[in-house]
Amino acid sequence: MRGTVADDLRRAIVTGDLAPGESLPTEKDLIARYGVSRNTVRSALSALENEGLITSSQGRGRRVRKREPVWIYASRSESHARRRPMGVDSWVDDMRSQGREPRTDIEVAVVHAPVEVSERLKLDNGALVAVRRRTRFADDQPWNLNDSYYPMWLAQEVAAILDPADMTPGLTVHLADHGYVQEYYNDELTCRMPTPEEAQALNIGVGIPVMCHTRTGSTKDGPIRVTITIMPGDRHRLLYEVPA
Amino acid sequence: MRGTVADDLRRAIVTGDLAPGESLPTEKDLIARYGVSRNTVRSALSALENEGLITSSQGRGRRVRKREPVWIYASRSESHARRRPMGVDSWVDDMRSQGREPRTDIEVAVVHAPVEVSERLKLDNGALVAVRRRTRFADDQPWNLNDSYYPMWLAQEVAAILDPADMTPGLTVHLADHGYVQEYYNDELTCRMPTPEEAQALNIGVGIPVMCHTRTGSTKDGPIRVTITIMPGDRHRLLYEVPA
DNA sequence: TAGTGGTCTAGACCACACT
DNA sequence: GTGTGGTCTAGACCACTAG
């Protein structure tokens, strides 16, 4: 019966009979309609929740989930480039152009590098690195997490790295002024379910995965920055323009 | 209690006390250890499953999930280009270079374009398109789904599009021979939980999201191909090299 | 055959939201 | 207050895997 309940509701959702934002039947309704126990109904609804199709909140009932992704321009080909700098750092421009009000919280710290960072920066395991942790908001809702890691020798040379002020247009220019010109980025993308900490920080409901974007920026002499961005899948659409 | 059980097990997994592939305590063990009911234990284990941390199979118990991602080279900058053609089409090369045996099943069809395809090909809603549906395998395991859509006028001009043979090195060369040279790709990336159909076709367990990669290829005159690739997150890592 | 997880029932009490 | 979902208990039977 669990399969039947879940299948019926799923069909109603994908066909649009149940529109985004609309309320689902209550548990009591479903118990009566299908003649099954409460646990069975809850198990079916839980499956839909974990598929990302519905939300659930105590006292208010369950709704069909809405999607409202924003575009993130991760790269532009030469012919399509605009005056703005490329990269996932153009958060403010991307948001404003989509009618959303951006905000960024920054904190800086010196930490032992996580292994995925030390590998990419070619540092010893556990070496100290400077990190700028950003929480980005759109219309005052937490939208994504964006942590940039720099080797300590660079943070000692470029003081702005450990300055918690929000840089406009970003540290890239500061770095270039000191002779560290990034020539290319190496982007890695995967996705997974969020950790409980990420889910809380980003206000992610059950059933929504995150994209993990790892950008390694290198000068001609080697890597100088690793940026890890955690983006809830229902709120982001990443765009690359690449030459054929 | 559900929180306690799940938290304890999650901590053991992330710290490595429970290694990938290792068995978890049985439901009976956990019931005894925590003094809670079976439903409570199952609810906790179900949460871990939906976070992608563990697998579960009837009769065999639960294990800590293993990850074995493969690299997909989605773009290479000029300076790093190799002789092989770029794109997600270089499946065979990418797999062999990572010690895995690739295989591709292809079927072709003429269908009404899904809206996300007709939009990108600038066709009328519901227009007919030719589609080449691929299921890609690595070591005989289904690995990802890769569907390429072409406008009908193009399929009529380039007969190879509706030929179900596996093309080496792909249709891109055939198209170029007919004067359709793709100048750039527009890649869009997002992620979500798989549909039940995708989960079955790709043998995806509960708690594993998929990356959705939509590549639109355009000549100087406009878009001629849309390729949608569905990649389980635990088995793929997508790489872009982009100029700064 | 024994032991595992999968499904299901029936009932209790709690926490939160709306009116 | 009333109704919603969240948590929990106790017990039953089924389905699959392994020794």
Side-chain angles (χ1 to χ4, degrees), chain B residues 60-89:
Chain B
R60 245 187 336 182
R62 294 181 169 87
R63 310 269 171 111
V64 179
R65 194 184 277 280
K66 294 186 209 176
R67 297 206 145 213
E68 38 188 36
V70 299
W71 290 93
I72 305 286
Y73 293 86
S75 84
R76 293 173 196 281
S77 60
E78 303 299 323
S79 58
H80 294 74
R82 304 203 197 151
R83 63 214 169 289
R84 84 174 78 151
M86 282 196 320
V88 188
D89 290 302

Side-chain angles (χ1 to χ4, degrees), chain B residues 57-191:
Chain B
S57 61
Q58 202 171 34
R60 245 187 336 182
R62 294 181 169 87
R63 310 269 171 111
V64 179
R65 194 184 277 280
K66 294 186 209 176
R67 297 206 145 213
E68 38 188 36
V70 299
W71 290 93
I72 305 286
Y73 293 86
S75 84
R76 293 173 196 281
S77 60
E78 303 299 323
S79 58
H80 294 74
R82 304 203 197 151
R83 63 214 169 289
R84 84 174 78 151
M86 282 196 320
V88 188
D89 290 302
S90 48
W91 172 247
V92 171
D93 285 351
D94 280 348
M95 287 304 99
R96 291 244 167 84
S97 71
Q98 292 170 67
R100 292 183 178 275
E101 189 52 34
R103 180 164 65 84
T104 304
D105 285 357
I106 298 192
E107 58 182 37
V108 297
V110 174
V111 299
H112 294 284
V115 58
E116 65 268 25
V117 170
S118 58
E119 272 176 2
R120 286 169 182 74
L121 287 178
K122 295 181 179 162
L123 299 174
D124 291 335
N125 210 324
L128 287 178
V129 289
V131 54
R132 295 171 65 84
R133 294 189 213 277
R134 297 177 186 83
T135 305
R136 289 159 162 175
F137 298 79
D139 301 333
D140 285 324
Q141 301 296 319
W143 215 256
N144 64 47
L145 303 174
N146 177 263
D147 297 347
S148 290
Y149 295 87
Y150 302 83
M152 272 316 283
W153 60 261
L154 188 60
Q156 278 150 4
E157 187 168 339
V158 183
I161 289 177
L162 284 170
D163 177 352
D166 193 0
M167 305 281 158
T168 308
L171 268 174
T172 304
V173 176
H174 277 269
L175 290 169
D177 288 347
H178 283 75
Y180 298 101
V181 178
Q182 291 171 87
E183 299 201 321
Y184 63 94
Y185 298 128
N186 225 307
D187 282 13
E188 301 165 44
L189 286 156
T190 188
C191 70

Side-chain angles (χ1 to χ4, degrees), chain B residues 1-3 35-40 43 58-60:
Chain B
M1 287 313 292
R2 163 181 158 189
V36 294
S37 77
R38 187 171 175 216
N39 272 340
T40 304
S43 168
Q58 202 171 34
R60 245 187 336 182

Side-chain angles (χ1 to χ4, degrees), chain A residues 80-92:
Chain A
H80 292 74
R82 305 200 196 153
R83 64 213 169 291
R84 85 176 77 154
M86 282 194 322
V88 187
D89 290 301
S90 50
W91 172 247
V92 171

